[in-house]
Amino acid sequence: MDATRARPAAEAAGAPVPWAYRIEAWGAALLFALLGCLPLDAASALGGMLGRHIGPRLSVSNRARRNLRPALPELSSPQIEGILRGMWDNLGRVAAEYPHLRHIRVFGAESRVETSGLEHLDQALAAGRRVILFGGHLGNWEIAALAAGQYGLDIAQI
């Protein structure tokens, strides 16, 4: 037996949680509670604004800058910064919409979600066939699983 192997999960689970992690968790819980009190559009707009202003200043954004420059060498620095702000805007909106997901109705006249191609899914299900659905990380990517559940599909999401 290797003496350097990691401790079993049961032992690690009993390890004390650092206070910094607890404070971060409390802060996130408070932020989500406050966002949940706002109307969906207001929460989304606030999340986007916070993302646009805070995200590009985080060190992780440097990785995106380094990847964008060789991938899109024709873009100027201001254009790359615009892409980064858009990326963080979307991520902020997705995070701010989490407290509202249970209230979003994907199907119906008042839906804010656009769906297409459901007739193909209906045909496959009526024929008893299994299906694989693919979706991109566009807008709020959590909506895809929400839509599947509301459509009555039993899904496994990766």
Side-chain angles (χ1 to χ4, degrees), residues 86-123:
M87 174 191 79
W88 282 106
D89 176 271
N90 185 61
L91 190 56
R93 288 175 183 277
V94 169
E97 291 169 5
Y98 264 99
H100 296 275
L101 284 178
R102 67 181 178 270
H103 303 295
I104 295 175
R105 296 293 160 250
V106 175
F107 306 102
E110 302 280 326
S111 177
R112 56 193 309 125
V113 179
E114 180 182 334
T115 58
S116 65
L118 291 175
E119 67 277 5
H120 304 293
L121 178 60
D122 291 336
Q123 286 175 339

Side-chain angles (χ1 to χ4, degrees), residues 18-35:
W19 279 102
Y21 292 178
R22 293 173 195 222
I23 292 169
E24 286 176 9
W26 293 334
L30 177 62
L31 178 62
F32 282 130
L34 293 173
L35 290 167

Side-chain angles (χ1 to χ4, degrees), residues 48-65 80-89 91:
M49 186 271 301
L50 291 172
R52 280 190 314 276
H53 288 90
I54 296 170
R57 292 176 170 84
L58 300 176
S59 63
V60 71
S61 292
N62 292 331
R63 178 180 295 171
R65 287 182 186 94
I80 287 175
E81 292 304 312
I83 291 172
L84 278 174
R85 280 191 305 278
M87 174 191 79
W88 282 106
D89 176 271
L91 190 56

